[in-house]
Amino acid sequence: MERRDRIDVARFISRLDECFNRNDMRSAWECIEYWELQARQSGDDRGLLTVLNEAVGYYRRTQKKTKALSAMEESLSLVEKLGLSENLSGATIYVNAATTLSFFGRIREGLELYGKAEACYRKNGGTQSYEYAALLNNKAAALNELKLYDEAEEHWKSAVEILKKSGASRRRDRNFSGDACPPDL
């Protein structure tokens, strides 16, 4: 489908955040459904990627495995289609997908995607960022589940070190997936 128009990603994220801040999961689902339809109707693949990436997190949070995995697969396909597989936008999608796979017990598959995300961060000089530390933390949790304790501990220590160096003691109220595909890409 040829792109005719772009959805207002910032507006979508703002509305979704409002729903999550109120812990209003029904409204969050309605928001995702609405903006997904808007993105599909306008042929906005980049906007759709952002919406689907948020949907993955929503479905993981609400334990809707089939829907989470379906949205995840489509997100990964869009990453390839849009040529984002080696940049930080792609890394964001990979981390969310890996976390989702791990959450639903497909940890080894998740580790492969964490590896892809790490490669993106290395290639793009993002290895000292809060987001990279979060990736290492999530990967450590997956490794811990596989009883790979020494490797998990290395990842946790690296994550903590990055946060100490960056002064990132702040708490993030939302995950990073809102930046999955900024409008300027």
Side-chain angles (χ1 to χ4, degrees):
M1 177 183 280
E2 185 177 313
R3 184 182 66 78
R4 294 180 302 274
D5 209 359
R6 284 194 166 172
I7 64 167
D8 187 341
V9 171
R11 187 171 168 204
F12 161 65
I13 295 298
S14 175
R15 297 253 167 112
L16 188 61
D17 279 348
E18 288 172 16
C19 297
F20 286 144
N21 288 339
R22 293 189 316 266
N23 201 30
D24 184 350
M25 299 310 278
R26 180 173 174 79
S27 292
W29 174 78
E30 290 170 352
C31 179
I32 290 167
E33 292 285 309
Y34 172 82
W35 287 99
E36 180 181 348
L37 179 64
Q38 296 303 307
R40 288 186 190 284
Q41 287 179 340
S42 67
D44 181 3
D45 285 343
R46 292 178 185 276
L48 179 60
L49 178 58
T50 299
V51 174
L52 288 174
N53 196 50
E54 292 294 337
V56 170
Y58 167 81
Y59 292 133
R60 181 178 64 237
R61 189 174 182 180
T62 58
Q63 299 184 24
K64 295 180 179 173
K65 181 179 179 178
T66 302
K67 288 186 175 207
L69 296 176
S70 177
M72 180 200 75
E73 289 296 332
E74 189 173 358
S75 294
L76 293 172
S77 292
L78 283 169
V79 165
E80 295 300 320
K81 177 181 178 183
L82 296 170
L84 303 174
S85 63
E86 294 184 2
N87 70 24
L88 296 178
S89 292
T92 300
I93 304 302
Y94 292 144
V95 170
N96 197 26
T99 302
T100 298
L101 287 168
S102 295
F103 180 83
F104 290 116
R106 294 168 55 180
I107 298 167
R108 293 201 186 277
E109 290 173 78
L111 287 175
E112 289 177 34
L113 290 174
Y114 284 131
K116 283 186 173 187
E118 282 182 279
C120 292
Y121 279 104
R122 275 190 240 107
K123 180 177 182 178
N124 293 284
T127 58
Q128 295 303 307
S129 68
Y130 176 90
E131 291 81 0
Y132 186 71
L135 156 71
L136 294 175
N137 182 65
N138 289 4
K139 185 175 180 182
L143 291 165
N144 194 57
E145 285 294 314
L146 294 175
K147 300 185 183 346
L148 299 171
Y149 303 121
D150 291 340
E151 197 174 345
E153 184 177 11
E154 287 175 32
H155 282 74
W156 273 318
K157 285 180 179 178
S158 294
V160 168
E161 198 56 39
I162 290 167
L163 293 176
K164 283 181 183 176
K165 285 181 186 175
S166 70
S169 60
R170 67 194 181 279
R171 180 179 160 269
R172 294 260 172 128
D173 288 332
R174 64 174 278 90
N175 63 30
F176 325 117
S177 55
D179 299 326
C181 201
D184 61 335
L185 288 178

